[in-house]
Each structure stands twice: as structure tokens, then as C-alpha cells.
Amino acid sequence: MELYLEHSITKAEFQHTAAKCDGEMARIQEAQRDQTAQSDLPEVRLRQVEALIDGTEWDDTFYRHILERITIHPDNTLEISLMQLSQSLCYSFGQSD
């Protein structure tokens, strides 16, 4: 700005240099936003997993990758088979009167 005001550079040169500086500033700010987003990623993933566990969020894709089968037996037993596990998880529910 000082060089332009002193008439050491033309208005076009000033505008070109100002545009380059604005572009560089935008690039730096974007890089800072990306870095902040990357540093927050583990915390975001943790919140997502907690939401899946406590039931406040349902993600079909997530469950499709871990759940092999759910079977409800006549004796009020629920059998859950997960991918990559050789054993099933079984839950028994009592009769409610």
C-alpha cells in the first residue's frame, strides 16, 4: 500500500499483489481449518461410537459390517452373532405377567 501511495508501483501492480496476498491468506486459513478438523477427528469418532453404543444414533452401514445375524428363539432367548467372532452372544428374557 505504501509503495502505491508513493507512486512507486502502479494501481494494476498493487491490485495484482493484493490479490496474490488475499489468495495466500485464504490458502493459509483453509490449511488451519483442515488442521483443526484433523485434530478434532479422534474426538468426533469417539462421540460417534458412544452414540452408537448408547442407542442415540443408528447407523445401518456400521451395523451391517459388524452384525452377522440376530435370532429370536421361542424360549425368549436372543442370539446375536457378530462378524469375525466364533461365538454368539445370548440373552434370555423372562416372561412378563
Side-chain angles (χ1 to χ4, degrees), residues 24-79:
E24 181 67 12
M25 179 62 78
R27 187 190 67 74
I28 290 170
Q29 288 172 339
E30 181 66 27
Q32 286 175 333
R33 281 192 295 273
D34 289 347
Q35 186 177 23
T36 301
Q38 288 295 326
S39 66
D40 292 342
L41 190 59
E43 185 177 323
V44 169
R45 292 289 184 228
L46 179 61
R47 285 195 307 267
Q48 289 172 333
V49 169
E50 288 172 345
L52 290 169
I53 290 170
D54 68 19
T56 57
E57 184 176 310
W58 180 269
D59 185 344
D60 287 340
T61 304
F62 173 77
Y63 289 108
R64 197 174 300 123
H65 284 88
I66 66 165
L67 188 60
E68 184 176 322
R69 180 181 72 244
I70 296 177
T71 307
I72 302 172
H73 297 282
D75 64 349
N76 290 330
T77 302
L78 181 69
E79 181 181 356

Side-chain angles (χ1 to χ4, degrees), residues 72-88:
I72 302 172
H73 297 282
D75 64 349
N76 290 330
T77 302
L78 181 69
E79 181 181 356
I80 301 173
S81 299
L82 301 176
M83 303 282 188
Q84 308 295 323
L85 291 178
S86 59
Q87 295 180 320
S88 297

